[in-house]
Amino acid sequence: MLPKSASVTLFYIAMADGGTSGPTVGCGDSAVAVTSPAVSFTDPVEGALRTLLENHSEEIGQSGLVNTLWQSRLTVESIDRTGSTVTAHLVGTLTMGGECDIPRVEQQLSLTAQKAAGAPVAITINGKTLSEALSLK
């Protein structure tokens, strides 16, 4: 597949707005879609997740939105497509600021990947499922 350049939809968190700006996320937050400038990619899921994970700013400009992945150092290792199943394999260090970051991180990754794929995407981090990687146990 040839690389193409297009904007991707990324999801960030509106803290304590109770689902007003987008889908409700745990701890009374919302997930809000933001369109990126054009990025180059061969796979839209890889392009969207890479763009999301490369952003290490805690706040998104003057929008009031927060990036709960800002401290993490994750990269996209591969995207597997088997039939209708899409799996994104991430590697690196996942850093969260507390219990409320679990649903925030989950929604940022899942919604960004799902929007790019047009279908649900399974996500692994260092070989663990997303829910295992996010578990505080």
Side-chain angles (χ1 to χ4, degrees), residues 19 56 58-59 75-76 94 99 114 126:
H56 296 295
E58 185 174 7
E59 295 180 1
T75 57
V76 179
L94 176 64
E99 205 173 312
Q114 184 173 324
N126 298 324

Side-chain angles (χ1 to χ4, degrees), residues 35-49:
T35 303
S36 78
V39 294
S40 180
F41 56 84
T42 50
D43 183 288
V45 175
E46 183 277 332
L49 286 173

Side-chain angles (χ1 to χ4, degrees), residues 87-136:
T87 305
H89 300 283
L90 309 181
V91 293
T93 307
L94 176 64
T95 306
M96 294 184 289
E99 205 173 312
C100 281
D101 277 1
I102 294 170
R104 293 170 184 154
V105 165
E106 179 180 21
Q107 290 302 303
Q108 273 194 265
L109 290 169
S110 298
L111 291 171
T112 297
Q114 184 173 324
K115 181 76 174 170
V121 175
I123 297 173
T124 67
I125 298 178
N126 298 324
K128 294 179 172 179
T129 65
L130 184 56
S131 56
E132 287 172 337
L134 291 173
S135 170
L136 292 177

